Amino acid sequence: MTRRELALLLPLLALYLAAWAFFPERPDDEASYVVLAERLVDGFYVTGDDDAILNPDPGSPDLWFGPGLPALLAPLVAVDAPLSVLRLTSAFVLFAAVLLMYALARERWGPHIGLVAAYALGLYVPFLGLLSNLHSEVLAVLCVVVGMLGLARFLERGGLGWLLLGSVGLAALALTRVAYGWVLTVSLLALVV
């Protein structure tokens, strides 16, 4: 990616940082993600609490929360980064997804269509409301785009490196939320049939 291409996409990062700063906080599940990241830093993930599935206490999250986002947050939690910095990761994760979408679309249809595709993904309005808090959906978008890029390049160019990249993207998606893993499993079974 050239500096000019990056400069054309940087307004999206500025928009994401503004959304992070100005959208109201809605903590929702973020306390559970932070607790899980802290547990990963301490060397474990779940406590075996029998009430975890029905317990709204963030200290007792259920396995609906896959280890994907907590694993991403764990290095920041390990250095005692404040919650605002943890939340800021969402803006950069979404921007990384936009950059990879541009690379994927540019390769197939040229720089103009690539820019349109990147902005179409990057300006999807529901994403903006997710940037002020910790949500696994933003990481899921990045995982999907990594999977698409790796598999598209593997099909076009071959090479085990691209297949590995696509596989890692989809595996990370399965770790981001349990439901995504089920969808990928059913999709793989349908593909085999």
Side-chain angles (χ1 to χ4, degrees):
M1 181 174 300
T2 66
R3 288 182 185 176
R4 180 182 176 279
E5 291 170 319
L6 181 60
L8 291 172
L9 293 169
L10 278 176
L12 286 173
L13 180 59
L15 174 66
Y16 299 158
L17 294 175
W20 167 78
F22 296 114
F23 270 72
E25 296 177 7
R26 292 171 289 119
D28 294 334
D29 299 332
E30 78 178 6
S32 296
Y33 287 120
V34 173
V35 166
L36 290 171
E38 290 168 349
R39 289 181 184 173
L40 283 175
V41 169
D42 292 335
F44 66 99
Y45 188 64
V46 292
T47 61
D49 181 358
D50 291 336
D51 297 325
I53 292 176
L54 302 174
N55 191 343
D57 176 22
S60 184
D62 59 52
L63 290 180
W64 175 256
F65 300 91
L69 183 57
L72 177 72
L73 299 174
L76 294 171
V77 168
V79 296
D80 293 324
L83 184 58
S84 61
V85 172
L86 298 179
R87 289 175 176 165
L88 187 58
T89 60
S90 295
F92 289 101
V93 166
L94 185 56
F95 187 64
V98 167
L99 292 177
L100 293 176
M101 177 58 80
Y102 174 73
L104 176 63
R106 177 192 64 189
E107 188 172 289
R108 295 213 173 265
W109 301 295
H112 297 301
I113 300 295
L115 195 60
V116 169
Y119 266 88
L121 175 67
L123 291 176
Y124 184 61
V125 175
F127 290 156
L128 298 179
L130 300 175
L131 298 177
S132 61
N133 293 73
L134 295 172
H135 294 280
S136 61
E137 288 80 4
V138 178
L139 180 59
V141 171
L142 176 62
C143 294
V144 167
V145 176
V146 167
M148 288 181 356
L149 179 66
L151 295 177
R153 286 194 175 170
F154 171 73
L155 292 174
E156 184 176 287
R157 302 176 184 176
L160 289 178
W162 293 117
L163 179 61
L164 181 62
L165 179 67
S167 300
V168 166
L170 295 179
L173 177 64
L175 290 175
T176 301
R177 196 169 260 180
V178 174
Y180 300 148
W182 285 110
V183 168
L184 287 172
T185 302
V186 169
S187 298
L188 179 63
L189 290 174
L191 182 65
V192 168
V193 169

